[in-house]
Amino acid sequence: DYHFPIRVGKEIKAIGAVVIDITKQKEAEQKIIEESALKDFFIDVIRHDLLNPMGYVRTMSKMVMEQETNPETKQRLKDIYENSEVMIQVVENARAYSSMKQNEKLSFSKLDLSGIVQSEINILQLLAQQKNMNLRLTMPKKLTVKANPLIKSVFANILHNAIKHGDENTIIGVKLIQNKQKWKFIVINHGPLIPDKDKKDIFVRFKRLIGEGSAKGSGLGLAIVKGVVERHSGEVYVKDYMKKGSKFIVEVPIHPKI
């Protein structure tokens, strides 16, 4: 409400008022809140109901594949494993992207980045082995910083892309380092070069890497990497590596602006 005096000369004769009905505005705001809550619930249900069985499928297909001797059956098990891995990645990326789209303030807590990176490497090890790739890891035994758990998706997506787009029979360099100002995550793979004109576009939603062809995925991975890193006051970029591959670099300040 807004009130104002009604004067005759210098004397106030009455008080006027303007009343604004914001009922519809409040109803619209409430509808947005309810729809957002419903979307969160829906994503949580999908994530839970899909990730649990797909995680089981991935684990069991890996176990059976390692014991199988028939080449044809082994290949089919490999296909099951790879597709379950893709599905898990898509669900995780959808959750991460949804969290960022809502522009919610991220909560930060102390996390061991070394442990998270090692966990992601363990998950992706089989995919690397199938292309006869060797993951060469350089990082401290423990690197604790303030971060949000979404930082896991940064490591997962960059590592997954390095394996997916790298050449067979090559080494993927993985480095996690820290100085007084920031920590860095660097992944180097050998494969098709990314043209300079595409080096920024690959971090845009649904953009595909050059030469990706029919590779499976949602096209969200690197967009999520960029979004999560920026929410940590950091930056991510890609450079050519000795004209033989790509070098993805993530830089995040030790004390992000929360």
Side-chain angles (χ1 to χ4, degrees):
D1 297 355
Y2 173 66
H3 298 81
F4 57 92
I6 298 175
R7 300 175 182 272
V8 177
K10 293 183 178 181
E11 187 177 354
I12 297 176
K13 295 292 186 179
I15 298 294
V18 176
V19 179
I20 302 174
D21 186 356
I22 60 171
T23 302
K24 291 185 177 180
Q25 178 184 334
K26 289 296 182 181
E27 288 176 349
E29 290 174 354
Q30 183 61 34
K31 185 177 180 180
I32 292 173
I33 292 172
E34 290 174 356
E35 288 177 350
S36 178
L38 182 61
K39 183 182 70 173
D40 291 345
F41 174 74
F42 181 65
I43 290 174
D44 286 343
V45 169
I46 289 179
R47 183 169 179 264
H48 178 270
D49 289 352
L50 281 180
L51 286 187
N52 284 348
M54 290 312 302
Y56 178 79
V57 169
R58 179 178 65 183
T59 301
M60 293 304 297
S61 59
K62 177 182 178 182
M63 289 175 58
V64 177
M65 181 170 55
E66 290 172 347
Q67 299 170 10
E68 182 58 51
T69 56
N70 183 287
E72 184 178 350
T73 304
K74 198 176 186 74
Q75 180 59 47
R76 289 178 179 176
L77 288 167
K78 176 186 174 184
D79 292 340
I80 292 172
Y81 176 86
E82 290 181 348
N83 279 280
S84 63
E85 176 63 34
V86 168
M87 193 166 186
I88 289 170
Q89 194 73 25
V90 168
V91 174
E92 288 285 18
N93 283 344
R95 180 190 66 85
Y97 193 78
S98 175
S99 297
M100 290 188 299
K101 286 290 287 182
Q102 293 176 38
N103 291 321
E104 294 176 357
K105 187 176 180 180
L106 296 184
S107 59
F108 288 72
S109 59
K110 289 185 177 181
L111 299 176
D112 175 21
L113 300 186
S114 295
I116 297 173
V117 171
Q118 186 62 64
S119 176
E120 291 306 314
I121 286 178
N122 293 342
I123 291 172
L124 295 170
Q125 194 71 52
L126 183 59
L127 289 179
Q129 290 173 359
Q130 289 168 355
K131 297 182 71 172
N132 198 29
M133 288 176 159
N134 181 30
L135 294 169
R136 185 170 293 173
L137 180 60
T138 302
M139 68 178 182
K141 188 174 182 180
K142 193 170 186 177
L143 199 166
T144 303
V145 301
K146 281 191 174 182
N148 182 274
L150 282 175
I151 203 70
K152 170 182 175 291
S153 63
V154 172
F155 305 140
N157 279 297
I158 291 181
L159 287 168
H160 193 272
N161 271 280
I163 296 171
K164 182 167 65 173
H165 301 292
D167 291 339
E168 294 183 356
N169 308 308
T170 57
I171 294 173
I172 293 179
V174 182
K175 184 180 290 187
L176 182 65
I177 56 177
Q178 177 186 21
N179 59 33
K180 292 182 179 180
Q181 285 78 37
K182 61 183 69 174
W183 59 264
K184 291 185 180 182
F185 180 64
I186 303 168
V187 175
I188 299 171
N189 77 335
H190 297 270
L193 293 175
I194 303 170
D196 290 340
K197 64 183 180 64
D198 295 328
K199 282 185 168 65
K200 289 185 178 180
D201 286 345
I202 61 172
F203 295 103
V204 176
R205 183 184 180 189
F206 298 136
K207 285 283 185 177
R208 293 283 191 170
L209 289 173
I210 294 299
E212 186 171 351
S214 60
K216 302 179 182 71
S218 65
L220 282 175
L222 292 178
I224 288 169
V225 168
K226 185 175 186 292
V228 172
V229 169
E230 289 180 347
R231 296 286 289 275
H232 283 74
S233 309
E235 61 176 336
V236 57
Y237 52 96
V238 61
K239 300 168 66 175
D240 291 344
Y241 178 70
M242 298 175 60
K243 297 183 179 181
K244 295 180 180 179
S246 300
K247 183 177 184 179
F248 280 81
I249 304 169
V250 173
E251 298 184 356
V252 176
I254 297 297
H255 303 291
K257 297 176 183 179
I258 302 175

